[in-house]
Amino acid sequence: MYQTLLVTTENKTCIITLNRPDKLNALNQTLLSELKAAFTQALADSEVKSIIITGAGEKAFAAGADIQEFVGLDAQQASNLANNGHIIFGMIENSPKPVVAAVNGFALGGGCELAMACHLRIASENAKFGQPEVKLGLIPGYGGTQRLVQYIGKTKALELILTTDMITANDAYILGLVNYVVPQHELLNKCKEILAKIHAQSPNAVYLAIKSVNAYFDDNKNGFEEEIKNFGQCFTHNDFKEGVSAFLEKRKPNF
Ligand code: COA
């Protein structure tokens, strides 16, 4: 039982709902540690094939880190706080199971950063994205200066971070920040529809594909070498035998 999350599992998808709607689902430390725990549990649960992260209510996915918790922090405490967020968001980004952000409203600051740590982002039409930290005398601290550049390029990333402008879901789509924009009442169904396609694939290959794509952005790895290694690894797994047999036998694979 969590104080700040709702967690349910439907059709092999764990849905984690950030549940502080009166604070626009702002990410306080309790929520972040509960998110880490719920996520760890979803990864360990063999009945769970994928994860959706969304926000409670119709207004916000998450309106950022909880600003109230910043009061009185010194530099070291603030760096520790940022580091903690990096660990959790890194865990999401490197998850072997696909993770979709169902962005149902404001995704600001840490909320935008959380959505960016997920593998796919589906936005409702009312969603708004932004990194407003410099307005507070801060910079993005949960990966925003890096992942926003990765997704939309330096030109627009710097504009959004420096002006603190919020962008609409449609603009986020045009910039390549989100995969789809749908009416709010269709948001979860759209996520589930995409995940149903992924559930039909080899979980091992899905994991190795995520790992290989992520290697592109990892300075400590050569992405091409990582791909070669992971390609070879596919051949050691039963999913490969099943996938190829199913193709040759003209049937659907059963992973
Ligand atoms: N941290 C803590 N509390 C937050 C919050 C945050 N990041 N974002 C919103 N809240 C709280 C508000 O303080 C308010 O609480 P209250 O009712 O106890 O006063 C409640 O959530 C509702 O927000 P409110 O500002 O009244 O809603 P709004 O519709 O007028 O404005 C926003 C919505 C998103 C524009 C506005 O809440 C906002 O600018 N939030 C901060 C965004 C931000 O700077 N994020 C980066 C943080 S590093």
Side-chain angles (χ1 to χ4, degrees), residues 20-27 59-60 62-70 106 108-111 113 130-133 135-136 138-140 166:
R20 300 182 72 211
D22 53 331
K23 296 289 178 190
L24 304 185
N25 304 318
L27 309 173
K59 197 169 166 186
D66 192 315
I67 298 169
Q68 283 191 330
E69 289 189 339
F70 291 162
F106 289 115
L108 302 176
E113 290 166 306
Q131 296 288 161
E133 288 87 347
K135 204 184 284 181
L136 301 166
L138 299 171
I139 64 167
M166 278 189 230

Side-chain angles (χ1 to χ4, degrees), residues 23-185:
K23 296 289 178 190
L24 304 185
N25 304 318
L27 309 173
N28 64 8
Q29 291 307 297
T30 305
L31 187 150
L32 286 176
S33 58
E34 291 190 343
L35 179 59
K36 188 179 183 185
F39 203 86
T40 305
Q41 203 173 340
L43 291 185
D45 186 342
S46 57
E47 289 301 304
V48 168
K49 286 184 121 179
S50 62
I51 296 147
I52 293 175
I53 300 178
T54 193
E58 295 187 345
K59 197 169 166 186
F61 174 71
D66 192 315
I67 298 169
Q68 283 191 330
E69 289 189 339
F70 291 162
V71 178
L73 295 186
D74 64 23
Q76 187 56 54
Q77 289 167 324
S79 290
N80 292 345
L81 184 126
N83 190 46
N84 187 40
H86 275 258
I87 290 169
I88 299 164
F89 290 10
M91 189 170 105
I92 293 171
E93 183 166 59
N94 294 308
S95 159
K97 300 180 185 182
V99 190
V100 178
V103 183
N104 56 310
F106 289 115
L108 302 176
C112 185
E113 290 166 306
L114 173 58
M116 290 194 291
C118 299
H119 301 131
L120 302 172
R121 281 154 296 287
I122 318 302
S124 58
E125 287 165 342
N126 65 317
K128 292 230 162 49
F129 295 79
Q131 296 288 161
E133 288 87 347
V134 300
K135 204 184 284 181
L136 301 166
L138 299 171
I139 64 167
Y142 291 158
T145 63
Q146 305 304 297
R147 291 195 183 96
L148 194 60
V149 178
Q150 291 169 8
Y151 290 125
I152 71 171
K154 183 176 174 184
T155 304
K156 281 310 245 188
L158 264 179
E159 180 188 331
L160 293 193
I161 292 168
L162 300 184
T163 62
T164 75
D165 281 350
M166 278 189 230
I167 56 168
T168 62
N170 276 331
D171 285 343
Y173 176 75
I174 290 165
L175 288 169
L177 185 57
V178 302
N179 298 80
Y180 295 96
V181 180
V182 295
Q184 189 162 53
H185 65 275

